[in-house]
Amino acid sequence: MKRFLTYPFRIGIQEVRENKQLIKKSKDLSSKVNIYPFMYAAYMYLLIMSIMYITVIYILIGAIFDPIGFIILIPTILTTWIFTLIYKKVFPKTKKYYLESNGLYKND
């Protein structure tokens, strides 16, 4: 259960590490590729996921006193899941295409 709950955060932290390596690589190659927008997107993702998790906890605590709160919990959890899915499936493709166009991404 712990791995399931921390999965979105592990994705974001892994992305930050990859971006830091890409920044070092681009500096070594003296490339003009701008990686910082991807770094900012990873930090924003981590911030938004933290806020969403805090919201879910707040709704769960509120649902103890008002059972209608469980209805509000469903869209919140679905939004969190969809946001994670988009970040995991769409964002890496965009980053890959950008890096390929600038010659920094190579298929291993």
Side-chain angles (χ1 to χ4, degrees):
M1 185 67 150
K2 180 181 168 184
R3 291 182 60 90
F4 176 74
L5 291 175
T6 60
Y7 177 72
F9 295 103
R10 284 186 285 133
I11 292 172
I13 292 170
Q14 178 184 2
E15 191 70 31
V16 168
R17 288 180 184 152
E18 289 175 7
N19 288 338
K20 286 183 180 179
Q21 290 176 351
L22 281 173
I23 289 171
K24 287 180 185 177
K25 184 177 178 183
S26 68
K27 284 182 181 178
D28 290 342
L29 296 174
S30 66
S31 175
K32 302 268 184 194
V33 178
N34 191 5
I35 310 274
Y36 290 104
F38 296 109
M39 183 71 97
Y40 298 146
Y43 286 134
M44 283 190 325
Y45 171 77
L46 288 171
L47 177 68
I48 290 170
M49 289 310 294
S50 299
I51 291 170
M52 287 182 168
Y53 270 53
I54 291 169
T55 304
V56 168
I57 292 170
Y58 177 76
I59 291 172
L60 282 173
I61 292 170
I64 293 171
F65 303 110
D66 187 17
I68 295 176
F70 286 115
I71 296 172
I72 298 170
L73 189 63
I74 295 169
T76 306
I77 291 174
L78 284 174
T79 305
T80 305
W81 178 71
I82 290 170
F83 190 68
T84 302
L85 189 65
I86 289 171
Y87 189 77
K88 180 67 177 163
K89 299 293 181 183
V90 176
F91 183 71
K93 290 180 184 177
T94 306
K95 181 178 170 184
K96 176 184 166 191
Y97 294 146
Y98 174 73
L99 293 175
E100 280 180 348
S101 70
N102 289 312
L104 197 58
Y105 185 86
K106 295 179 184 174
N107 293 331
D108 293 328

